[in-house]
Amino acid sequence: MAAPSSSRETADKRLPNTFVACPIVYGSIAFYLGKKAQEYQTHSWTLYVRGPQDEDLSAFVSKVAFTLHPSFAQPVREVTKAPFQITETGWGEFEAGIRIYFKDSNEQPVDLFHHLRLYPPNPAHQLNPKKPVVSENYDEIVFCNPFTKFHSMLMQYGGSSKSAAAAAAAAAAAAASSSSNATSGAPPLPPNPNVTTTAWPEHYVMFDDAMDMEMLLSIHQHIQRELLETKRRLVDCETQVVDAQQGYSAPVPGTTSSTKASSTKTKQSGQQKQGQKKDANASALPGDIEVKMEPTGQQAKTASADSTKDEGNNSAVDTSSAMDVDEPAMTAALQIAVPS
C-alpha cells in the first residue's frame, strides 16, 4: 500500500514558479436556412470551443457546459467529449455562457461569454445560405503552478510552459534584441496533431502565434523608430531655442553707433525742416508790401452800430475814436511784418 501512496504524492505535487498558457478559440457559426426558414427557425447555428488549429481539447478539458437563452428547452447543456460544441436552430441573437472544466479537479472552471451572431455585421451584406456568419474569439488559459500530472496533460495538448525565472529571462532577451529582426527565445511547442473532426473547418479562422509575434515585433520596431525620430526633433528644437536666445541677448557689433548716427541724422533733418519753414515765411513778405486793412473786432462792432443807426436806432457810435484806438496796434504790426 505504500507504493500507491508515494505515487499519489508525486502526482499531486505542484510545480513551483511554473506557468502554462493554453490557447483556445470559442465562438459560433450560423447558417441562414433560406427557403427552409420558418418564422421561429431562420438559422441553424453552432456554439463551440476548439483549439486555434482545431486541436483536440480533451487532452486537458473534461467537459464544457453551454448556457443558452431561457426560451430553449434545457438551456444548460454539457458536452463531455470532443468536439465541444452544440447545434440548434432559432431566429434571434443572445449572449451564451460557456464554462470549461478541466481534468484536474483542483483547477477552478473558467467562465466565458459569447454573443451569438446570426446576421452579418454589415447590413449591406445580404443573407446567403452558403456563406455562414462566423464570430470567434481567441484567448489563452493560464495555469499557475499546476500539479505534475496535469502539467503533462497540458504539454500533451501543446501548452507553453515557462518558469518565473525563464519568463523573466525571455522578457530581458526580447528587450535586448528588440532592435533586430530576429525573434528571441525558444519557439513554442508544436500543437497536438490530433485534430478534431469539426463540421466546418474551412470556415474557421486558423490562428497562428508565429504570425502574431511577427506582427507585434514589427509594431515594436516601428514604435522604436518613431521614438528615436521624436527625440532627434526635440534635440533640434532645443538647439534652435538656445541659438535664438543667445542671438537676442548679445548685441550685434555696430548696432549702438548706427543707432546714435540715425538719431543725429533725425535731429539734423528736423532742424533743417524748421529752417526751411522760417525761410518760407520770410519769402512770403517781399519788400514792397500791399497792406490790406481788415477791420478789427471793435471796428466790426462800430460798423454794426452804424447800420443800426441808419435803420432808425437813436443811439450814436463814435467810429473815429475806435479808429484812433486801433491805429497804434496796426502800425506796430506793420513794423514787425515788413523787413528793414
Side-chain angles (χ1 to χ4, degrees), residues 115-127:
H115 187 81
L116 174 67
R117 296 193 179 277
L118 305 181
Y119 302 94
N122 189 352
H125 295 169
Q126 297 181 355
L127 294 175

Side-chain angles (χ1 to χ4, degrees), residues 1-19:
M1 297 298 294
S5 176
S6 177
S7 176
R8 187 181 302 109
E9 290 178 358
T10 302
D12 293 341
K13 182 180 179 181
R14 286 188 176 273
L15 299 177
N17 301 324
T18 302
F19 303 90

Side-chain angles (χ1 to χ4, degrees), residues 233-256:
R233 292 180 179 178
L234 182 60
V235 171
D236 292 343
C237 291
E238 292 178 351
T239 303
Q240 293 177 3
V241 170
V242 172
D243 293 343
Q245 291 176 349
Q246 292 178 354
Y248 178 77
S249 59
V252 179
T255 303
T256 305

